Amino acid sequence: MEATPATPAAEAAALWGHKHLPLLARASSKDSVEYILQALWRTRRTGLDAADRAVVRDMLQLAADADLDPLLVCLRILIRRCVHGDIGKEEIARVFPEEVSPELQRLLTLLLQKFQPEWQEDAAKDRASASRSEATECTSNKNQDTAEQPAAGAKELQNGIRSSVVEKELKVQLTKDTLDKMFEDMYPVKEVSNSGNSNGHEEVTGGT
């Protein structure tokens, strides 16, 4: 037997834990609920700090964070749906579970409709800021890579000059060796030595 498909309201109740949303009815005024919603949006990246949590617990007359945390999760899910989901102002009331009282639904609907445009604008700015940060990081990495290229080119040029100098030195050495060999072939060491001795003897003899 196939299971009966869950209704949207049942899915929402299962996701949020509808038993927790009614805790907002403990707030003494509309301003208190408004403060809670604004505080959750303001701390969307960091979470509520100890001071904010203490204020919210006092507003809702809750003794411990264990009672507060499930409600905060429900409200954050609701806020994200209103800001990032394709939900118009007239559709916000449809996301609440049936178990939430009509009075609380109306209050939350009015407040979410009030803040939705402002929060969506903030979310757009967050995305733009993140995009600029990524672009800046990519540009920085690209510039770093480009800065390294001249150093590599200079090193290659230096190696090329060094190779050219060595090549010229080798050519000079080869030319010198070739000339020495030519002189050796033309004037053997022995003949040069004998010639020198003969000239020297004649000079001595002529002097006496």
Side-chain angles (χ1 to χ4, degrees):
M1 181 177 178
E2 295 182 358
T4 303
T7 64
E11 292 178 353
L15 178 63
W16 292 1
H18 62 274
K19 295 180 180 179
H20 306 296
L21 282 178
L23 290 175
L24 286 175
R26 295 183 173 210
S28 58
S29 65
K30 170 192 170 184
D31 291 340
S32 297
V33 178
E34 181 173 331
Y35 174 88
I36 294 171
L37 293 177
Q38 284 284 62
L40 288 174
W41 178 252
R42 172 171 49 83
T43 61
R44 59 191 179 278
R45 298 189 190 92
T46 61
L48 292 175
D49 60 20
D52 283 328
R53 296 175 74 88
V55 171
V56 174
R57 282 200 310 270
D58 290 342
M59 287 180 173
L60 301 179
Q61 306 172 40
L62 297 175
D65 283 343
D67 300 322
L68 177 64
D69 288 337
L71 171 63
L72 298 181
V73 171
C74 295
L75 292 176
R76 287 194 185 276
I77 292 174
L78 178 58
I79 291 172
R80 282 198 298 269
R81 285 189 172 187
C82 292
V83 174
H84 302 291
D86 188 16
I87 299 177
K89 289 185 177 181
E90 67 282 354
E91 298 174 326
I92 291 177
R94 302 176 187 174
V95 301
F96 293 102
E98 295 176 356
E99 290 82 359
V100 179
S101 67
E103 293 79 9
L104 184 55
Q105 287 190 36
R106 283 194 295 270
L107 174 59
L108 287 174
T109 298
L110 289 174
L111 291 176
L112 292 170
Q113 287 176 343
K114 174 182 177 180
F115 294 125
Q116 187 185 42
E118 176 186 341
W119 291 346
Q120 288 178 337
E121 184 177 351
D122 290 343
K125 292 179 181 178
D126 291 343
R127 290 191 294 270
S129 177
S131 298
R132 284 196 298 270
S133 298
E134 292 177 0
T136 301
E137 183 177 357
C138 291
T139 302
S140 176
N141 293 337
K142 184 177 180 180
N143 291 339
Q144 183 177 0
D145 294 340
T146 304
E148 292 174 352
Q149 291 176 3
K155 185 176 181 181
E156 293 177 0
L157 179 60
Q158 184 179 5
N159 291 338
I161 294 174
R162 186 182 294 110
S163 299
S164 177
V165 172
V166 171
E167 183 179 356
K168 289 181 179 179
E169 290 178 352
L170 289 174
K171 288 182 179 179
V172 171
Q173 184 64 37
L174 289 173
T175 303
K176 183 177 182 299
D177 293 344
T178 302
L179 290 174
D180 290 344
K181 184 67 168 57
M182 290 174 62
F183 280 116
E184 288 178 3
D185 292 341
M186 293 172 65
Y187 305 102
V189 175
K190 183 177 181 180
E191 293 181 5
V192 173
S193 176
N194 290 339
S195 175
N197 291 338
S198 175
N199 293 337
H201 177 70
E202 289 176 355
E203 290 174 358
V204 172
T205 303
T208 58

